[in-house]
Amino acid sequence: MIDEPIDPDDRAEWLIEQGRVDEAISILEARTRGGDWLDVDLLSDLLVENGRVEEAEALWRAAIEAGLPRAYGGFADMLADAGRTDEAIAGWRAAVEVGEPRARARLAALLARTGRVDEAIAEYWTAIAAGDAAAGVRLAKVYARAGQLDEAVRAYRSAIGAEGVSRWPLGVLLEKLGHVDEAVAAYRAAVDAGEGHVRVRLLAAQGRLEEATQLVRDMLTEPGHNASYRRLGWLLTEQRRFEEIEAEARLLKDGNLVGLSYLLSGAQQSANFHEDCPADCKGSTRVVRYLPECR
């Protein structure tokens, strides 16, 4: 006989794994009476996953009626996941009205995701003006996707200093605009703030490509940095060190095909690759003038 967990948290999860969904729902229903938003969210997800959408909707409406914190936003999320976009937008507007934390930024994100970009931008700026400085990060992404890099820089600057906001992406935006000196200053500020991984970007932006290359090689001696082969490929190609790329590719070919793929895609992101590319080569990766991302 399989031992059944006694702890309610473990038991509900165990019942779900065993396919005993109705019993798990009963446990979670009892827990939601304690007024915890996370319990309501978990039960809602379970109901939706099992086709009981009307019950999930009733659950959220009851939570809203009871004044449960974050209930408006939770309901809006459920509606958005169900593809009921207009209702979800209305739900987030209601969350804004009752003052749920970061509700306006979440509303803006949904508006942007559904193509209502001008409305999203307006909501983001309102959120920033109301004290949600971190909303500037998402606003910068909206502007960047629209090709409005100057506005993206302005938005990201508004987020600098907010909790959890990294400084280095501002440097990337500035590099894309060709403002190299400002980008270097942004990267240096990021390093000074403890974002040590940005040292490679700082060196590359300063034109110190040989030092940047060595730093990337040092990183590749440690586990978890396979994607850095993209940067290595770009840096070596920028310096026309083609023999080193070929040697690196031979080493990777037999034992690390993923690393090889990163190396070659990074090389193709350098303009130098395309200048030396034969007429029939298929280098289609977008060329960039700055250090590529590790992804």
Side-chain angles (χ1 to χ4, degrees), residues 47-48 51-61 78 84:
L47 289 168
V48 171
R52 297 163 65 168
V53 178
E54 291 183 1
E55 291 177 63
E57 186 170 341
L59 176 70
W60 280 118
R61 292 192 184 280
M78 192 210 82
R84 295 161 63 178

Side-chain angles (χ1 to χ4, degrees), residues 167-176 180 183-188 190-191 195-209 211-213 215-216 219 230-231 234-235 269 288-295:
R167 293 176 176 270
W168 68 267
L170 176 61
V172 176
L173 291 169
L174 289 165
E175 275 200 274
K176 289 179 179 180
V180 178
V184 167
Y187 291 143
R188 187 174 287 113
V191 171
E195 299 170 32
H197 65 284
V198 186
R199 293 184 188 280
V200 179
R201 283 195 173 280
L202 175 58
L203 290 169
Q206 291 174 311
R208 297 158 64 183
L209 300 188
E211 293 173 72
T213 303
L215 186 52
V216 171
M219 295 169 68
R230 185 194 304 274
R231 289 180 167 180
W234 184 85
L235 285 163
Q269 286 186 280
V288 295
R289 303 290 178 177
Y290 45 87
L291 191 72
E293 297 286 346
C294 287
R295 59 176 180 224

